[in-house]
Amino acid sequence: MNVKAKVAARNSLLRKLANSNWGADPKALGTTALALSYSTAEYSSAVWASSCQAKKVDAELNNACRIVTGQLRPTTLPLLYRTAGIAPPDIRRQTHGSTEKHKQETDLRHPLFDHSYPRARLKSRKSFRTVESVQPDQAASHRLELWNT
């Protein structure tokens, strides 16, 4: 089952919760959307964030955000996400990838710590390894500290 179908199934649960009398609180709906739809969509997103399939998942996340806010389709996406208090999917994926890259560079327990990658074979492909770290200057200084100890 692909990610878009999984998120769509969770959005239908969210829609039923939004239409009920006891689940109509916007804060509860936002938390539920983050727990159900967004967590499913962002699982290992550092790897597939640059894929062309990401836009299909974004459409379902937009639907989840519309369910939470009650906004209609003519509402622009920046306004929709600002109203919901949730960062847009592309920003969330970029942050997730940067955090993962930071862990790879600084955490000794990470399986990819200090791993030398092979040279890229295709220039047209963008790997998740090319993502900038959350704090690149701190990661470099931390790496030097590890080597000096």
PDB file of all heavy atoms in Angstrom, residues 54-68:
ATOM      1  N   ALA A  54       6.238  13.057  -3.824  1.00  0.00           N
ATOM      2  CA  ALA A  54       5.963  13.840  -2.613  1.00  0.00           C
ATOM      3  C   ALA A  54       4.750  14.751  -2.805  1.00  0.00           C
ATOM      4  O   ALA A  54       4.000  14.989  -1.857  1.00  0.00           O
ATOM      5  CB  ALA A  54       7.185  14.655  -2.234  1.00  0.00           C
ATOM      6  N   LYS A  55       4.526  15.230  -4.010  1.00  0.00           N
ATOM      7  CA  LYS A  55       3.382  16.115  -4.257  1.00  0.00           C
ATOM      8  C   LYS A  55       2.056  15.389  -4.083  1.00  0.00           C
ATOM      9  O   LYS A  55       1.067  15.993  -3.688  1.00  0.00           O
ATOM     10  CB  LYS A  55       3.475  16.709  -5.652  1.00  0.00           C
ATOM     11  CG  LYS A  55       4.595  17.717  -5.786  1.00  0.00           C
ATOM     12  CD  LYS A  55       4.619  18.360  -7.131  1.00  0.00           C
ATOM     13  CE  LYS A  55       5.770  19.348  -7.188  1.00  0.00           C
ATOM     14  NZ  LYS A  55       5.840  20.046  -8.445  1.00  0.00           N
ATOM     15  N   LYS A  56       2.038  14.097  -4.363  1.00  0.00           N
ATOM     16  CA  LYS A  56       0.809  13.325  -4.169  1.00  0.00           C
ATOM     17  C   LYS A  56       0.483  13.201  -2.687  1.00  0.00           C
ATOM     18  O   LYS A  56      -0.680  13.275  -2.292  1.00  0.00           O
ATOM     19  CB  LYS A  56       0.953  11.939  -4.797  1.00  0.00           C
ATOM     20  CG  LYS A  56       1.058  11.974  -6.302  1.00  0.00           C
ATOM     21  CD  LYS A  56       1.199  10.586  -6.870  1.00  0.00           C
ATOM     22  CE  LYS A  56       1.317  10.633  -8.382  1.00  0.00           C
ATOM     23  NZ  LYS A  56       1.467   9.294  -8.962  1.00  0.00           N
ATOM     24  N   VAL A  57       1.508  13.022  -1.880  1.00  0.00           N
ATOM     25  CA  VAL A  57       1.302  12.943  -0.432  1.00  0.00           C
ATOM     26  C   VAL A  57       0.914  14.317   0.107  1.00  0.00           C
ATOM     27  O   VAL A  57       0.059  14.425   1.007  1.00  0.00           O
ATOM     28  CB  VAL A  57       2.568  12.404   0.261  1.00  0.00           C
ATOM     29  CG1 VAL A  57       2.405  12.399   1.764  1.00  0.00           C
ATOM     30  CG2 VAL A  57       2.892  11.013  -0.241  1.00  0.00           C
ATOM     31  N   ASP A  58       1.501  15.373  -0.454  1.00  0.00           N
ATOM     32  CA  ASP A  58       1.165  16.733  -0.026  1.00  0.00           C
ATOM     33  C   ASP A  58      -0.318  17.033  -0.219  1.00  0.00           C
ATOM     34  O   ASP A  58      -0.926  17.720   0.613  1.00  0.00           O
ATOM     35  CB  ASP A  58       1.987  17.761  -0.791  1.00  0.00           C
ATOM     36  CG  ASP A  58       3.428  17.809  -0.354  1.00  0.00           C
ATOM     37  OD1 ASP A  58       3.777  17.117   0.625  1.00  0.00           O
ATOM     38  OD2 ASP A  58       4.213  18.528  -1.001  1.00  0.00           O
ATOM     39  N   ALA A  59      -0.896  16.535  -1.289  1.00  0.00           N
ATOM     40  CA  ALA A  59      -2.321  16.772  -1.540  1.00  0.00           C
ATOM     41  C   ALA A  59      -3.180  16.178  -0.422  1.00  0.00           C
ATOM     42  O   ALA A  59      -4.152  16.804   0.024  1.00  0.00           O
ATOM     43  CB  ALA A  59      -2.719  16.176  -2.893  1.00  0.00           C
ATOM     44  N   GLU A  60      -2.826  15.003   0.042  1.00  0.00           N
ATOM     45  CA  GLU A  60      -3.578  14.390   1.146  1.00  0.00           C
ATOM     46  C   GLU A  60      -3.346  15.129   2.454  1.00  0.00           C
ATOM     47  O   GLU A  60      -4.258  15.247   3.278  1.00  0.00           O
ATOM     48  CB  GLU A  60      -3.214  12.914   1.287  1.00  0.00           C
ATOM     49  CG  GLU A  60      -3.767  12.042   0.189  1.00  0.00           C
ATOM     50  CD  GLU A  60      -5.295  12.086   0.084  1.00  0.00           C
ATOM     51  OE1 GLU A  60      -5.971  12.184   1.129  1.00  0.00           O
ATOM     52  OE2 GLU A  60      -5.799  12.029  -1.042  1.00  0.00           O
ATOM     53  N   LEU A  61      -2.146  15.631   2.657  1.00  0.00           N
ATOM     54  CA  LEU A  61      -1.886  16.414   3.865  1.00  0.00           C
ATOM     55  C   LEU A  61      -2.631  17.742   3.827  1.00  0.00           C
ATOM     56  O   LEU A  61      -3.077  18.243   4.864  1.00  0.00           O
ATOM     57  CB  LEU A  61      -0.387  16.637   4.042  1.00  0.00           C
ATOM     58  CG  LEU A  61       0.412  15.378   4.359  1.00  0.00           C
ATOM     59  CD1 LEU A  61       1.895  15.699   4.440  1.00  0.00           C
ATOM     60  CD2 LEU A  61      -0.066  14.733   5.633  1.00  0.00           C
ATOM     61  N   ASN A  62      -2.788  18.312   2.627  1.00  0.00           N
ATOM     62  CA  ASN A  62      -3.607  19.510   2.487  1.00  0.00           C
ATOM     63  C   ASN A  62      -5.054  19.209   2.868  1.00  0.00           C
ATOM     64  O   ASN A  62      -5.716  20.018   3.526  1.00  0.00           O
ATOM     65  CB  ASN A  62      -3.551  20.036   1.054  1.00  0.00           C
ATOM     66  CG  ASN A  62      -2.170  20.505   0.664  1.00  0.00           C
ATOM     67  OD1 ASN A  62      -1.317  20.736   1.499  1.00  0.00           O
ATOM     68  ND2 ASN A  62      -1.946  20.622  -0.631  1.00  0.00           N
ATOM     69  N   ASN A  63      -5.540  18.038   2.463  1.00  0.00           N
ATOM     70  CA  ASN A  63      -6.903  17.639   2.831  1.00  0.00           C
ATOM     71  C   ASN A  63      -7.046  17.490   4.342  1.00  0.00           C
ATOM     72  O   ASN A  63      -8.052  17.891   4.924  1.00  0.00           O
ATOM     73  CB  ASN A  63      -7.293  16.333   2.141  1.00  0.00           C
ATOM     74  CG  ASN A  63      -7.509  16.504   0.661  1.00  0.00           C
ATOM     75  OD1 ASN A  63      -7.781  17.604   0.191  1.00  0.00           O
ATOM     76  ND2 ASN A  63      -7.368  15.431  -0.080  1.00  0.00           N
ATOM     77  N   ALA A  64      -6.039  16.917   4.981  1.00  0.00           N
ATOM     78  CA  ALA A  64      -6.080  16.768   6.436  1.00  0.00           C
ATOM     79  C   ALA A  64      -6.129  18.137   7.104  1.00  0.00           C
ATOM     80  O   ALA A  64      -6.877  18.348   8.070  1.00  0.00           O
ATOM     81  CB  ALA A  64      -4.863  15.983   6.922  1.00  0.00           C
ATOM     82  N   CYS A  65      -5.376  19.067   6.580  1.00  0.00           N
ATOM     83  CA  CYS A  65      -5.363  20.412   7.142  1.00  0.00           C
ATOM     84  C   CYS A  65      -6.702  21.116   6.910  1.00  0.00           C
ATOM     85  O   CYS A  65      -7.175  21.866   7.763  1.00  0.00           O
ATOM     86  CB  CYS A  65      -4.218  21.197   6.520  1.00  0.00           C
ATOM     87  SG  CYS A  65      -3.610  22.502   7.566  1.00  0.00           S
ATOM     88  N   ARG A  66      -7.332  20.848   5.780  1.00  0.00           N
ATOM     89  CA  ARG A  66      -8.655  21.425   5.514  1.00  0.00           C
ATOM     90  C   ARG A  66      -9.708  20.850   6.459  1.00  0.00           C
ATOM     91  O   ARG A  66     -10.621  21.550   6.876  1.00  0.00           O
ATOM     92  CB  ARG A  66      -9.052  21.162   4.061  1.00  0.00           C
ATOM     93  CG  ARG A  66      -8.376  22.076   3.092  1.00  0.00           C
ATOM     94  CD  ARG A  66      -8.974  21.974   1.699  1.00  0.00           C
ATOM     95  NE  ARG A  66      -8.303  22.919   0.835  1.00  0.00           N
ATOM     96  CZ  ARG A  66      -7.248  22.640   0.089  1.00  0.00           C
ATOM     97  NH1 ARG A  66      -6.750  21.419   0.087  1.00  0.00           N
ATOM     98  NH2 ARG A  66      -6.682  23.554  -0.656  1.00  0.00           N
ATOM     99  N   ILE A  67      -9.574  19.582   6.785  1.00  0.00           N
ATOM    100  CA  ILE A  67     -10.505  18.960   7.728  1.00  0.00           C
ATOM    101  C   ILE A  67     -10.352  19.600   9.101  1.00  0.00           C
ATOM    102  O   ILE A  67     -11.344  19.897   9.775  1.00  0.00           O
ATOM    103  CB  ILE A  67     -10.267  17.439   7.802  1.00  0.00           C
ATOM    104  CG1 ILE A  67     -10.618  16.780   6.467  1.00  0.00           C
ATOM    105  CG2 ILE A  67     -11.084  16.815   8.926  1.00  0.00           C
ATOM    106  CD1 ILE A  67     -10.137  15.344   6.347  1.00  0.00           C
ATOM    107  N   VAL A  68      -9.128  19.839   9.515  1.00  0.00           N
ATOM    108  CA  VAL A  68      -8.858  20.419  10.836  1.00  0.00           C
ATOM    109  C   VAL A  68      -9.411  21.838  10.935  1.00  0.00           C
ATOM    110  O   VAL A  68     -10.051  22.198  11.918  1.00  0.00           O
ATOM    111  CB  VAL A  68      -7.342  20.407  11.133  1.00  0.00           C
ATOM    112  CG1 VAL A  68      -7.008  21.231  12.353  1.00  0.00           C
ATOM    113  CG2 VAL A  68      -6.855  18.990  11.310  1.00  0.00           C
TER     114      VAL A  68
END
